[in-house]
Amino acid sequence: HASVVFVPTNVPEVRDVIDDDGTRIIVAPAPEFASLAEQVRPDVLAVHSPLPETWSALEPWTTRVPTVAWFHGYEARDWRLLSFDYSEAEIEQNGSRLDAVMVDRRRLLEGVFANEMVAKVFVSDYMRQIAEGFVGVPSRNGQVIHNVIDTDLFAYRERLPEERFRISSVRSFAKRNYGTDLIAPVVRELQH
């Protein structure tokens, strides 16, 4: 398949680039997605973490082409489940806004979950349960496709003791729910 990736941004201008592997990437405000999709004319729509601002622009395509929506968690759960990501001051300052965002997301996902024409993909059964609990309805045409490790690309190789400091952590350190608070103690433990 030839892929075109739409990336939402708050910057008003549209950037249309080809990356190193030949994939076309269009960075644009979400409301532009509708007209950009008309230009691209996709035969499949794959939406990663649908949010109200992106879904409203792409929803008309869900009746025209097969559509898959991926859910990783932040877009389909109560922010209070991740309250440890926020300080008390941040909760005091942003709690009402986070509640409003949560209401908008729940409203959107009620329609997405009920729509049998949209395939829903969850990264784990746990995330599916969390998302369905958040939305309050089961996901019709939903399935779990676990994140996997390509063992051909990342083949296991036993390491030598002197290699114990060669560690790569590939994830955001902006939030605590990724277990980033555990990295430093693990590195310290590996020193011994």
Side-chain angles (χ1 to χ4, degrees), residues 7-181:
V7 180
T9 183
N10 293 326
V11 179
E13 70 267 1
V14 174
R15 289 188 327 229
D16 193 339
V17 298
I18 306 295
D19 77 356
D20 293 339
D21 71 358
T23 302
R24 183 177 176 195
I25 301 172
I26 302 173
V27 181
E32 298 287 330
F33 287 178
S35 63
L36 292 167
E38 286 295 338
Q39 294 170 25
V40 171
R41 311 226 25 99
D43 56 356
V44 174
L45 184 62
V47 182
H48 185 270
S49 302
L51 298 174
E53 55 273 17
T54 53
W55 191 258
S56 63
L58 297 173
E59 185 176 22
W61 283 88
T62 65
T63 60
R64 297 165 69 177
V65 299
T67 302
V68 180
W70 273 266
F71 295 91
H72 287 263
Y74 84 93
E75 72 288 287
R77 80 172 117 181
D78 188 325
W79 68 268
R80 287 173 189 80
L81 293 176
L82 302 173
S83 61
F84 52 81
D85 272 342
Y86 304 97
S87 69
E88 287 183 27
E90 288 171 320
I91 291 173
E92 177 80 24
Q93 184 177 12
N94 299 312
S96 296
R97 183 186 59 77
L98 292 170
D99 285 339
V101 166
M102 192 174 65
V103 167
D104 289 345
R105 288 181 182 179
R106 183 178 288 126
R107 188 176 299 125
L108 161 77
L109 295 179
E110 284 174 355
V112 174
F113 278 27
N115 186 342
E116 291 183 14
M117 299 297 293
V118 177
K120 275 68 73 180
V121 175
F122 301 90
V123 296
S124 68
D125 192 50
Y126 171 77
M127 268 323 316
R128 180 182 185 161
Q129 291 173 26
I130 292 291
E132 289 177 343
F134 171 72
V135 176
V137 298
S139 59
R140 296 180 181 252
N141 194 15
Q143 56 192 312
V144 173
I145 300 178
H146 297 280
N147 288 332
V148 298
I149 296 174
D150 182 340
T151 55
D152 291 331
L153 186 60
F154 300 101
Y156 173 77
R157 177 179 66 80
E158 191 168 336
R159 303 293 192 239
L160 300 171
E162 56 270 17
E163 293 178 302
R164 70 185 181 274
F165 296 112
R166 295 181 64 198
I167 299 169
S168 176
S169 175
V170 182
R171 64 172 48 267
S172 169
F173 280 76
K175 299 287 185 182
R176 288 175 221 140
N177 67 306
Y178 290 127
T180 52
D181 58 323

